[in-house]
Amino acid sequence: MDPQEAEAAIRLPSDAAPPQPRRVCPGCDRPARVCLCHVIPRPPIPTATRVVVLHHPHESRHKLSTVPVLSRCLLNSTVLLHRKLRPGLSPLLDRFPPSIYLFPPSSSSSSSPSLTLSQLRASDLLRRAEHEGLVVIAFDATWKHAREMVSASEEYLSRFAVRVCLDFDYDESVDGGSIYDSELLLRKEPYGGCVSTMEAVARVLRVVETNGEEVEGRLIGVLKEMVRLQASFLKPAKPRNKLLKKGSRGQQQKKMEQEQSEQLQM
């Protein structure tokens, strides 16, 4: 077969329909099959607290990122697409307002100590923020990248912000679950106590807003619906067999051969 014949052989039939682009909802900018317009608050929820999310460039392309949904739900929210906070990136932060930034503690980290939400409620930071309004800063990325982002930003943040973690038991020896655990793993967290960016912000707003329970409930409701819709297009995850090291695999093979030999001799 000459090159021209080979090329003709792999051409699609003339009547074959080209693949159709995925329909995207103009209201929430999500695929039409998982549109969230029916649960996203209209108008967005007003809050005295201003939320700033540092969104890693890689995470912005992830289909399960909660930040685009969060920004549509909250009126006073800003998303910064960058790897670190620095002077000149945000006019709001450059004014050094009373702020907290969210990130769990780590036994292997020497970064600044953190308050829990319960301790924040009892601190004088909220009273100092009554006139200017509190700013909540969140980092959205994979946990590896988020640690790098926090580490790179802490020199700047140390001028005006306090580190806060949720009232969860963080345990790096325990595997984390998915967003609202079910038989379908959507995104697995690195260890026990970690949650998505949207859930973390919702938990904080419950404490710092006067109608915090209502705000939290509405945000968590949107997140649950997002998970429900996404889960309907996934198959249950099958557990993978534990891989053995090369030496262990060889020893296991020898043991099996020995057992087979003993059975033949019986």
Side-chain angles (χ1 to χ4, degrees):
M1 181 181 295
D2 62 36
Q4 290 184 346
E5 291 176 340
E7 182 180 356
I10 62 174
R11 288 176 182 168
L12 292 174
S14 59
D15 59 345
Q20 296 296 317
R22 184 172 60 175
R23 291 179 54 242
V24 175
C25 171
C28 62
D29 199 31
R30 290 173 55 81
R33 295 191 299 175
V34 290
C35 169
L36 289 174
C37 286
H38 60 291
V39 290
I40 290 179
R42 296 283 191 267
I45 303 170
T47 57
T49 306
R50 290 162 291 182
V51 176
V52 176
V53 180
L54 189 66
H55 199 34
H56 194 283
H58 291 175
E59 189 70 9
S60 66
R61 299 191 291 269
H62 200 294
K63 63 182 179 181
L64 292 178
S65 173
T66 61
V67 169
V69 179
L70 176 65
S71 65
R72 284 179 167 79
C73 291
L74 294 178
L75 179 63
N76 294 324
S77 62
T78 303
V79 179
L80 304 174
L81 195 63
H82 212 275
R83 296 172 186 264
K84 64 177 289 189
L85 290 173
R86 54 171 176 75
L89 188 63
S90 166
L92 170 62
L93 298 184
D94 281 347
R95 296 200 297 268
F96 295 169
S99 305
I100 63 173
Y101 64 102
L102 308 179
F103 204 73
S106 173
S107 58
S108 60
S109 173
S110 60
S111 57
S112 59
S114 58
L115 298 177
T116 64
L117 278 182
S118 298
Q119 292 169 333
L120 174 67
R121 191 196 299 267
S123 72
D124 65 348
L125 177 60
L126 296 186
R127 288 189 293 273
R128 289 193 288 113
E130 288 180 355
H131 300 294
E132 298 181 60
L134 184 70
V135 176
V136 173
I137 303 168
F139 296 84
D140 189 75
T142 64
W143 286 95
K144 176 180 181 297
H145 287 153
R147 284 193 182 96
E148 295 171 355
M149 293 162 73
V150 171
S151 178
S153 303
E154 280 192 311
E155 181 180 355
Y156 173 66
L157 289 170
S158 65
R159 305 178 189 179
F160 61 96
V162 175
R163 181 171 174 165
V164 169
C165 63
L166 304 184
D167 290 299
F168 292 150
D169 292 327
Y170 296 95
D171 189 347
E172 296 189 30
S173 66
V174 177
D175 286 343
S178 61
I179 301 175
Y180 291 101
D181 282 329
S182 69
E183 63 177 357
L184 298 165
L185 291 180
L186 297 185
R187 297 194 72 177
K188 189 173 176 60
E189 306 297 356
Y191 53 85
C194 297
V195 298
S196 70
T197 301
M198 187 166 179
E199 182 175 352
V201 171
R203 301 307 185 201
V204 173
L205 292 179
R206 174 190 177 93
V207 171
V208 302
E209 287 291 306
T210 54
N211 61 335
E213 289 190 11
E214 177 187 352
V215 174
E216 179 196 40
R218 296 178 72 181
L219 292 178
I220 296 300
V222 175
L223 179 59
K224 285 185 174 181
E225 179 66 0
M226 174 184 172
V227 172
R228 185 190 72 81
L229 291 173
Q230 200 69 44
S232 66
F233 294 98
L234 298 178
K235 296 180 180 179
K238 294 182 179 179
R240 294 189 298 177
N241 294 328
K242 186 176 180 180
L243 298 178
L244 298 175
K245 295 182 179 180
K246 185 176 181 180
S248 301
R249 190 164 53 244
Q251 292 175 2
Q252 187 182 49
Q253 180 66 26
K254 288 181 179 180
K255 183 178 179 181
M256 292 176 59
E257 292 175 354
Q258 184 178 1
E259 290 175 352
Q260 292 173 354
S261 176
E262 292 174 351
Q263 290 174 357
L264 290 175
Q265 293 174 4
M266 292 178 62

